[in-house]
Amino acid sequence: MNASELKELFQNQFGYNEGVRVFFAPGRVNLIGEHTDYNGGYVFPAALTFGTWAAAAPRKDNVYRFASANFPTEAECSVSETLVYREEDDWANYPKGVLNELIQLAEDENKSYSGADILFYGNIPNGAGLSSSASIELVTALALSKLAGFDIPMLELVKLGQRAENRFVGVNCGIMDQFAVGMGKKDHAMMLKCDTMEYQYVPVKIEGYKLVITNTNKRRGLADSKYNERRSECEEGLAIIKKYLPEVQSLGDVSLQNWNKVKSHIENETIRRRVEHVITENERVLLATKSLQENALVSFGEMMKQSHESLRDLYEVTGFELDTLFEEAAKIEGCIGTRMTGAGFGGCNVSLVKEHAVDEFKEKVAKNYSLKTKLDPDFYVCEIGDGAKEVF
Ligand code: GLA
């Protein structure tokens, strides 16, 4: 989608196009470090080149109108009303939730918002675990704050997006998605410690290889999935660990060595396995990042595979479709790393594949996956792009 096409869509929707500005926020893929973010651990995501665009113009009458080139639902609200989640607003609950947070932030600082029209267009497959929600949250946060003349630091917008998702949409997600979408950098992944928010950009130099995202096309409902259950299982585990290691604030603080000392105190086997995943996954992020920095791609790929196995056997968030993709991908000789990415329970897999084997990968994985699951997968050869920004 280019500037003039978006402006034309805006014109068709709202009947004018003076003062229209265009913003973009990407989707993300997490390379390793799954279900560690809400445990204060490490993650290693990267921003994609597909995402959500917002063509937006300011209004002076306190009214916000949200429309989408992808979905028929439209929503309208005013700064003076109490904004609430409404089932019938469908996708528009995301921008409404963000607006709600922006207004609260402005009130704290004696500032105000005065209305806007926004037309969204996105090309991230929805519900595929590539953060279409965080993408619309960040593009809204950036567009509305800029239109109102406020320069809010990106890290604030990232946290605000997460608050909107937690409090308005009601999904208890961690910070990874909004961070990756807001802070992404072309050709880099981000190594983030989610409790301290310390981060580092790491170049993704994979010459001769491609990152291939494969969509199971099995829909994944984050809100009504087992996501929140996993969170509370981890909290239960943490509470026990704290009795023996009182200095620990989150599972992300527990080293493998300390874990081995205390794990026998967790009697419930399920809780023990959940915590074991988080702690070993955290170690894997560190090893994988180091491998990538040293151009040791085979070892990076090995970490990816171990991550999937742990999510399958210990954390139990994969399921038949993701496991089938994992097995079929791993069989391809040129595929040196493969794992589920995102929350799990469906969604996408990400694989590290030799460039010359990509066609064979797509062909064989598609054939065998379809045979076993009766679903057709989609493939996206992934390019790593920038985080949220104004584009034209
Ligand atoms: C979803 C959540 C993230 C993170 C991942 C699992 O994408 O939004 O915060 O917890 O699942 O790693």
Side-chain angles (χ1 to χ4, degrees), residues 64-311:
Y64 282 86
R65 296 192 293 177
F66 302 122
S68 161
N70 301 84
F71 305 107
T73 304
E74 294 170 14
E76 186 174 321
C77 56
S78 157
V79 173
S80 49
E81 72 188 85
T82 309
L83 299 180
V84 286
Y85 183 95
R86 295 192 322 172
E87 201 70 43
E88 62 269 33
D89 284 337
D90 194 34
W91 65 270
N93 281 302
Y94 290 99
K96 272 177 62 184
V98 168
L99 175 61
N100 195 40
E101 291 294 335
L102 284 170
I103 292 171
Q104 282 183 33
L105 191 70
E107 278 169 359
D108 295 346
E109 296 171 359
N110 275 326
K111 293 177 182 160
S112 61
Y113 278 83
S114 65
D117 289 330
I118 305 198
L119 189 270
F120 295 95
Y121 164 76
N123 59 4
I124 308 173
N126 291 303
L130 301 177
S131 291
S132 53
S133 333
S135 176
I136 192 170
E137 283 157 10
L138 265 293
V139 82
T140 307
L142 186 66
L144 295 188
S145 56
K146 288 277 187 203
L147 287 187
F150 306 141
D151 267 319
I152 306 179
M154 188 55 78
L155 258 183
E156 284 308 311
L157 296 182
V158 162
K159 292 181 196 160
L160 185 142
Q162 186 200 18
R163 285 204 298 278
E165 179 121 6
N166 291 168
R167 306 207 282 216
F168 199 86
V169 183
V171 178
N172 216 2
C173 65
I175 194 70
M176 169 171 74
D177 302 347
Q178 286 79 10
F179 183 92
V181 165
M183 303 292 289
K185 183 169 161 184
K186 189 172 162 40
D187 297 331
H188 288 72
M190 292 151 272
M191 220 272 264
L192 167 71
K193 180 83 169 38
C194 297
D195 52 355
T196 60
M197 299 292 282
E198 275 169 66
Y199 64 95
Q200 184 193 345
Y201 289 107
V202 178
V204 179
K205 282 206 211 104
I206 50 170
E207 230 157 274
Y209 289 84
K210 291 280 177 197
L211 281 166
V212 182
I213 297 175
T214 311
N215 191 346
T216 58
N217 282 325
K218 168 163 193 280
R219 276 198 75 85
R220 170 196 61 91
L222 233 189
D224 53 18
S225 71
K226 301 253 175 207
Y227 188 85
N228 288 348
E229 188 182 301
R230 292 292 177 280
R231 282 196 74 140
S232 42
E233 287 165 344
C234 289
E235 279 158 24
E236 214 177 310
L238 177 64
I240 303 171
I241 293 175
K242 273 181 161 172
K243 287 190 208 154
Y244 303 92
L245 301 169
E247 70 283 7
V248 157
Q249 300 290 326
S250 67
L251 294 183
D253 287 343
V254 184
S255 65
L256 207 48
Q257 211 183 9
N258 276 340
W259 169 238
N260 286 327
K261 285 187 203 149
V262 299
K263 67 175 169 196
S264 60
H265 295 295
I266 302 187
E267 278 165 28
N268 180 319
E269 207 223 312
T270 305
I271 307 286
R272 204 166 56 234
R273 282 191 288 138
R274 304 296 188 244
V275 177
E276 172 106 11
H277 163 74
V278 173
I279 289 165
T280 53
E281 181 77 353
N282 227 11
E283 295 282 325
R284 274 188 290 274
V285 181
L286 297 173
L287 291 173
T289 309
K290 193 161 170 278
S291 304
L292 189 60
Q293 282 167 324
E294 290 168 357
N295 208 22
L297 294 185
V298 171
S299 131
F300 183 81
E302 234 2 87
M303 293 298 138
M304 292 174 79
K305 290 186 197 166
Q306 285 180 21
S307 166
H308 184 97
E309 284 161 353
S310 177
L311 289 155

Side-chain angles (χ1 to χ4, degrees), residues 28 30 33-38 173-177 222 227 342-343:
R28 68 96 189 90
N30 188 22
E34 220 65 84
H35 289 277
T36 43
D37 65 347
Y38 51 84
C173 65
I175 194 70
M176 169 171 74
D177 302 347
L222 233 189
Y227 188 85

